[in-house]
Amino acid sequence: MTTLLIDDEVPARTIVRQYLADFPQINIVGECADGLSAVEAIRQHQPDLLFLDIQMPGLTGFEVLARLERIPRVIFSTAYDHYALSAFEAGAVDYLLKPYDRARFRQAVERVLAYATAPDVALQRLLQRLEETKKPPSAAVTPTYPARLFVPHGTRLVAVPVQDIRWVEAAGDYATLHTRAGQQYLSNLGISQLAQRLDPQKFVRIHRSVLVALDAVRELERDGSGGFYATLEGGRTVRVSRGHADVLRPLLG
């Protein structure tokens, strides 16, 4: 596992470096003293884990995460306790309140290592929260929809532009996103949850296990029982069940 130490205080980075000596499986690939250099270092090294301060020159720790397309696991390390709720809402694995001792540090790191082999609860929580933190302020009566979805990819989250999603297929409790370029991403969210997050003017449920982008539909063929077969951009054919056929009325002349 690789990590970056991001803190504007040299003694704070020194403490983390010393405590990490107890964990030879974690390799420090760099250190940063401000938010802007942190963003560049994260993009360059693609670490699995960040030890991240919150109040720093240039950008705060939260602003650093907001600029990333792939977000590693994060342990926040700060002298301020009032950021704790925001940190966990942003998907933090742990929150170290300075000054902390070696035992408390070990607890945080062992939690990260446990997540490396256990179901990825931290990433799932971050996935559910991240679009909410990125949405612009709006009136309560006017729903907004994210321009991109974050899906797990190894130990990171990858941003998938919603405009690139052509159709979504249920995969048990999860869902597979199929993109314009033919890529597939497994989302931690189920198809019903995704149907609520995506703009219903652009995405429609055509089957209990299929959600499609309306502008991806290239051809419709009646199946003789009240439903359709829809041919999508790229040649994929999916069935529109009779119970969901009405959602395609905007496409029918």
Side-chain angles (χ1 to χ4, degrees):
M1 182 176 290
T2 58
T3 188
L4 277 171
L5 314 185
I6 304 170
D7 199 305
D8 61 329
E9 299 177 352
V10 174
R13 300 200 305 272
T14 300
I15 286 291
V16 174
R17 191 165 57 249
Q18 291 175 349
Y19 287 175
L20 278 177
D22 295 338
F23 298 92
Q25 65 270 55
I26 299 179
N27 179 36
I28 301 172
V29 295
E31 299 183 17
C32 303
D34 64 85
L36 291 173
S37 64
V39 172
E40 293 305 314
I42 294 167
R43 288 173 176 168
Q44 177 184 351
H45 295 288
Q46 296 293 310
D48 303 307
L49 170 66
L50 301 179
F51 287 92
L52 182 61
D53 192 9
I54 293 179
Q55 288 196 354
M56 299 181 294
L59 299 171
T60 68
F62 297 123
E63 289 170 337
V64 167
L65 296 183
R67 294 199 177 194
L68 302 178
E69 292 189 352
R70 296 180 178 182
I71 300 179
R73 293 182 176 90
V74 180
I75 295 177
F76 281 103
S77 174
T78 179
Y80 303 94
D81 60 1
H82 57 275
Y83 292 117
L85 179 59
S86 297
F88 285 111
E89 287 181 343
V93 178
D94 212 328
Y95 188 90
L96 292 174
L97 186 61
K98 301 174 183 176
Y100 49 83
D101 58 19
R102 189 181 291 265
R104 178 67 183 88
F105 182 87
R106 172 176 287 276
Q107 182 183 44
V109 174
E110 287 178 346
R111 183 170 296 162
V112 170
L113 296 176
Y115 280 147
T117 56
D120 209 335
V121 177
L123 284 183
Q124 185 170 0
R125 183 172 66 242
L126 180 55
L127 178 65
Q128 293 170 344
R129 294 284 187 176
L130 195 52
E131 287 91 20
E132 298 173 10
T133 64
K134 293 220 178 244
K135 290 177 184 178
S138 60
V141 296
T142 305
T144 58
Y145 302 97
R148 53 184 180 167
L149 297 176
F150 285 80
V151 296
H153 183 72
T155 60
R156 304 179 179 88
L157 292 174
V158 178
V160 179
V162 169
Q163 65 182 6
D164 289 345
I165 300 172
R166 301 290 79 196
W167 63 293
V168 180
E169 180 181 25
D173 293 332
Y174 307 107
T176 302
L177 310 181
H178 297 262
T179 70
R180 195 187 307 273
Q183 297 171 306
Q184 298 181 22
Y185 298 93
L186 184 64
S187 169
N188 275 339
L189 299 180
I191 194 165
S192 294
Q193 292 170 292
L194 287 171
Q196 294 174 356
R197 286 174 180 253
L198 297 172
D199 187 346
Q201 300 299 315
K202 298 178 180 179
F203 289 85
V204 295
R205 190 89 170 261
I206 63 169
H207 191 276
R208 65 177 182 174
S209 61
V210 177
L211 185 70
V212 301
L214 280 174
D215 66 355
V217 178
R218 293 291 177 263
E219 183 177 298
L220 291 172
E221 179 182 355
R222 298 188 183 277
D223 65 2
S225 62
F228 295 90
Y229 288 105
T231 301
L232 306 180
E233 177 183 304
R236 174 78 184 198
T237 299
V238 292
R239 187 171 183 274
V240 183
S241 67
R242 182 172 59 183
H244 291 85
D246 284 348
V247 301
L248 294 181
R249 291 196 181 278
L251 301 183
L252 302 177

